[in-house]
Amino acid sequence: MADPILPPGLNVADFEDALQAFRRIVGRDHVYTGDELSSYVDPYSIAEDPNAHATPAAVAPQSAEEVQAILRAANQHHVPLWPISCGKNHGYGGAAPRMAGTVVLDLNRMNRVLEVNVESGYALVEPGVSYFDLYRHLQEKGLKLWLDVPDAGWGSVVGNALERGVGYTPYGDHFMMQCGMEVVLPSGDIVRTGMGAMPGNNTWQLFKYGYGPYLDGMFSQSNFGVVTKMGVWLMPEPPGYRPYMITFEREEDIEQVVEVLRPLKVNSVIQNAATIRSLVLVACINATKSQYHTGPGPLPDSAAKKLMADQDIGMWNFYGALYGPPPIMDTLWTIIRDSFSTIPGARFFTPEERKRDNDVLKHRALTMRGVPRLTEYSLVNWVGGGGHIGFSPVSPIKGAEALKQYRMVRDRLHEHGFDYMSVFAIGWRELHHVIELVFDRTNPDEARRAREVFAIMVREAAEAGYGEYRTHISFMDQIAKTFSWNNGAQLKLHELLKDALDPNGVLAPGKQGIWPSRYRSR
Amino acid sequence: MLNDSVSRRRFVRGVLGAAASLRVAGLAAGAEGRSAPPRRTFFDARFPRAAGLASRLASDGVLEPIGGDPTELVLWVASQALQDPRIAGVTTGSVPFVLQQLRLPGRLTVERIDRDLFVWALV
């Protein structure tokens, strides 16, 4: 085994001292080195330098008190830490740290569901609680509450919300649905946000804002603190549920689909965080590319047509669901159906009308009611030894913008030999255009092309005024620089906050492009 | 009938052909003498070749078809807790990938055998 990459400025003896300090806090069994670190790599890395995100150790506390002690030791020994919850941030770096030499602070062992309140519809959880865990907890106790889940059900409820992930029920904006945090600051001090700041208060998980400046946002996609508890709102089980799919035949239909969609979403006729999925992203659940095209380059049009026919899907596939009493669902469905029927070739399906056992609508019918799955990992099968990274520009819910983004991204991907695989996720006022750049991670040339096209897409999206909502650890600096209004005023503010809260720069250096002064000149 | 590890290894080697490593084939077949054959072998029913290979790897164990969705397998593995982990498969890459991520007890060995398929064994 090669020598570990140590934290910048530390020698072997310094680092061993730090590990000893961590062992005294969490016990020898919960400080990992050497071969025990295989879980803390980015499985889909496209970094040119294989050590770009290497970690020399991981430490796994079991309580907020242990997190506090670890932060204090990290300050004393100048050891940078990279917090992970369940470590399943695949497509964005997994459990690997931004900066080589950073020790992973693994919160997996903090996996308690601390409270579920059925009457008010919330849970209070620790960061190691996965969607599978919380779902099982609700099922075992027979609680009539639904989760909202992302595609990877083994991810952390806390971690996904902090990364501003999305799901597919009406509670699909995960950060919007969090309420009240407990946070360990880089100094080791601990705070509770919102109403949690008041001793004896009973609305910590009910009223987000508390008194004074609202702080919770500071701890999302940030390196300002380690969230050790978080409230999450859960959806009362509705009296009725009807998932549906609408398919559209032509590439250019995306423009009209989004135009039809906007008023339906803004007026809450579309109740959930619905999605429009591209042909290949849907097809890859049941097919691999080699079954349709074995040559180089993207899928030819003729193969795309065959794929559509074989799987009875569209070039675009809209997945939504109705929730509530039957008369309300009937009314909403009439409006939705009439609206999308204006698009030539639109076809409407319920799960019962789909023939395949593993049909995507049957799968989405589960995720749109909060059942955690791992089905979407099928996308890595499209090219065999697949890896993927997410490119996720945001736009208004406007047809022309969706079509422009689609063409821009599709053309670049095709030029570099990749297929276009995406989902347009519908937010309250915006579209998240999440492009899955799927490549063969066993093929160095494909990884190189993925790296190149990703950098081009970021630059061109920014030139067109599109920013990303989230990104892979290898591109955090590049994305941060695209938010450059007023000479980078926002990043400067982030750095000001970082230096005030974390003068030794121990917490997640480089996260989201925010570097502490200690490493800023590197 | 193959009933000893050496002949099983030789047989698996022949089945998988040159594209698959002897290491994986040997592990899957329990050929190193340290483990029994897989008690459950999964194969991707979409690929005829997978079924053929898996039926040979399975020996006397249970043979189960799956698709590219790893969810049910992961839930099943999780339900087994720390009990006998001996499983193997000839599947698409999503299946061994998620197994790798689970930090299971035992050793997972994976090898790609063609553009779509992987042979893997957890022992």
Side-chain angles (χ1 to χ4, degrees):
Chain A
M1 179 129 195
D3 291 338
I5 309 285
L6 298 182
L10 267 65
N11 60 32
V12 172
D14 295 336
F15 188 59
E16 185 54 35
D17 286 347
L19 293 184
Q20 287 295 356
F22 294 152
R23 289 182 185 113
R24 284 193 290 275
I25 296 164
V26 300
R28 299 189 65 82
D29 290 346
H30 303 298
V31 175
Y32 313 123
T33 57
D35 290 341
E36 299 169 309
L37 297 173
S38 60
S39 307
Y40 304 106
V41 299
D42 175 11
Y44 303 141
S45 175
I46 56 169
E48 200 165 4
D49 174 3
N51 290 321
H53 305 295
T55 182
V59 53
Q62 200 171 23
S63 68
E65 292 75 19
E66 289 185 355
V67 174
Q68 290 182 272
I70 290 167
L71 261 301
R72 290 185 179 120
N75 274 285
Q76 183 184 347
H77 294 274
H78 295 287
V79 171
L81 300 169
W82 181 264
I84 63 164
S85 301
C86 292
K88 300 297 191 294
N89 199 20
H90 295 144
Y92 298 102
R98 167 66 187 86
M99 182 179 78
T102 303
V103 170
V104 173
L105 177 60
D106 181 349
L107 306 175
N108 255 296
R109 295 176 64 224
M110 297 174 63
N111 57 4
R112 292 178 300 165
V113 177
L114 298 164
E115 180 187 2
V116 176
N117 187 308
V118 177
E119 188 178 46
S120 295
Y122 70 80
L124 179 66
V125 296
E126 292 186 322
V129 173
S130 72
Y131 291 96
F132 278 125
D133 294 334
L134 187 51
Y135 180 77
R136 187 166 54 243
H137 181 96
L138 298 178
Q139 293 295 304
E140 287 175 357
K141 296 192 177 307
L143 305 178
K144 302 294 185 189
L145 292 170
W146 283 11
L147 289 181
D148 186 282
V149 298
D151 285 317
W154 57 11
S156 160
V157 175
V158 172
N160 190 273
L162 294 179
E163 290 301 314
R164 303 187 201 131
V166 297
Y168 306 105
T169 76
Y171 285 39
D173 183 335
H174 290 174
F175 194 72
M176 185 180 287
M177 294 300 163
Q178 71 80 30
C179 187
M181 295 176 176
E182 178 184 89
V183 186
V184 176
L185 300 176
S187 63
D189 292 337
I190 192 165
V191 298
R192 288 186 174 179
T193 64
M195 301 306 284
M198 184 180 192
N201 186 274
N202 60 3
T203 56
W204 187 23
Q205 272 62 63
L206 301 178
F207 180 57
K208 291 163 72 84
Y209 306 117
Y211 181 75
Y214 175 65
L215 296 174
D216 296 40
M218 275 181 50
F219 302 109
S220 70
Q221 290 194 0
S222 93
N223 50 13
F224 299 156
V226 179
V227 176
T228 49
K229 293 182 181 65
M230 194 183 83
V232 54
W233 288 345
L234 303 174
M235 178 175 162
E237 183 177 299
Y241 169 64
R242 292 181 196 162
Y244 60 88
M245 174 175 82
I246 312 172
T247 64
F248 306 95
E249 294 177 356
R250 303 169 307 158
E251 286 182 299
E252 58 270 29
D253 285 341
I254 189 64
E255 181 169 17
Q256 196 178 351
V257 171
V258 172
E259 280 300 301
V260 169
L261 176 62
R262 184 182 55 252
L264 296 176
K265 179 62 184 174
V266 171
N267 290 291
S268 296
V269 175
I270 301 251
Q271 299 164 288
N272 71 321
T275 55
I276 309 163
R277 290 169 181 259
S278 71
L279 168 67
V280 177
L281 189 68
V282 174
C284 70
I285 302 297
N286 283 305
T288 65
K289 187 173 185 176
S290 71
Q291 294 173 310
Y292 288 86
H293 177 60
T294 53
L299 197 69
D301 287 346
S302 57
K305 291 277 189 289
K306 182 168 181 354
L307 199 51
M308 287 169 64
D310 286 354
Q311 297 204 15
D312 196 18
I313 55 179
M315 188 60 73
W316 300 103
N317 303 275
F318 180 81
Y319 295 93
L322 305 163
Y323 306 81
I328 289 179
M329 293 193 293
D330 290 343
T331 302
L332 293 174
W333 179 239
T334 300
I335 299 168
I336 292 166
R337 187 177 182 113
D338 288 352
S339 299
F340 282 112
S341 291
T342 60
I343 301 174
R347 296 188 300 146
F348 302 81
F349 297 94
T350 64
E352 295 74 25
E353 292 167 331
R354 303 296 292 178
K355 296 184 180 69
R356 280 175 174 272
D357 285 342
N358 195 33
D359 183 82
V360 176
L361 178 54
K362 293 175 183 173
H363 151 56
R364 302 252 41 113
L366 294 171
T367 55
M368 288 189 291
R369 63 184 296 265
V371 179
R373 306 285 296 172
L374 297 172
T375 310
E376 291 285 317
Y377 278 92
S378 301
L379 71 87
V380 302
N381 299 328
W382 180 245
V383 294
H388 72 100
I389 56 173
F391 172 65
S392 315
V394 175
S395 80
I397 309 176
K398 288 188 176 177
E401 302 273 3
L403 184 62
K404 180 181 172 184
Q405 279 202 3
Y406 162 63
R407 286 177 169 159
M408 191 168 75
V409 171
R410 176 204 60 190
D411 290 350
R412 283 293 180 235
L413 290 173
H414 285 188
E415 285 166 16
H416 287 77
F418 297 109
D419 290 305
Y420 172 83
M421 304 169 73
S422 87
V423 53
F424 284 98
I426 319 305
W428 287 99
R429 293 292 185 278
E430 93 298 334
L431 284 177
H432 286 38
H433 184 191
V434 181
I435 296 107
E436 299 290 2
L437 203 176
V438 174
F439 59 97
D440 184 342
R441 62 194 169 122
T442 67
N443 181 333
D445 180 59
E446 282 209 17
R448 176 189 60 76
R449 283 187 279 124
R451 190 166 59 241
E452 285 177 4
V453 73
F454 196 101
I456 291 169
M457 290 192 300
V458 170
R459 190 187 70 240
E460 291 187 345
E463 287 168 358
Y466 300 123
E468 285 203 74
Y469 92 100
R470 183 180 185 183
T471 197
H472 186 275
I473 50 176
S474 291
F475 294 94
M476 286 180 168
D477 289 342
Q478 187 182 354
I479 301 292
K481 286 173 184 165
T482 66
F483 287 77
S484 60
W485 182 80
N486 191 20
N487 198 25
Q490 180 180 256
L491 183 57
K492 289 176 183 171
L493 176 58
H494 288 160
E495 290 172 346
L496 189 67
L497 292 166
K498 179 65 177 168
D499 291 341
L501 290 167
D502 187 10
N504 292 321
V506 296
L507 193 57
K511 168 82 174 154
Q512 247 63 27
I514 305 168
W515 292 92
S517 59
R518 179 181 177 84
Y519 301 113
R520 205 169 292 148
S521 61
R522 291 176 75 238
Chain B
M1 185 71 185
L2 297 166
N3 53 12
D4 70 82
S5 62
V6 175
S7 58
R8 191 160 46 236
R9 177 173 55 185
R10 191 181 309 124
F11 184 66
V12 170
R13 188 187 309 173
V15 169
L16 296 182
S21 82
L22 298 177
R23 186 168 54 96
V24 173
L27 284 170
E32 294 188 342
R34 293 194 298 268
S35 59
R39 67 187 176 106
R40 203 171 279 246
T41 301
F42 300 88
F43 70 96
D44 193 319
R46 296 173 297 176
F47 299 93
R49 187 179 182 214
L53 297 180
S55 67
R56 289 161 173 81
L57 287 175
S59 187
D60 295 332
V62 177
L63 197 60
E64 283 197 21
I66 58 171
D69 181 355
T71 308
E72 299 306 325
L73 174 59
V74 165
L75 294 174
W76 176 78
V77 168
S79 73
Q80 299 297 297
L82 297 177
Q83 297 170 26
D84 188 351
R86 287 173 299 121
I87 55 174
V90 184
T91 66
T92 49
S94 56
V95 175
F97 174 77
V98 298
L99 292 174
Q100 280 173 330
Q101 298 289 314
L102 285 176
R103 305 184 196 183
L104 296 167
R107 186 155 55 100
L108 182 70
T109 308
V110 184
E111 182 134 340
R112 190 175 185 176
I113 56 171
D114 65 20
R115 184 159 166 162
D116 293 314
L117 292 174
F118 293 72
V119 59
W120 51 268
L122 181 68
V123 295

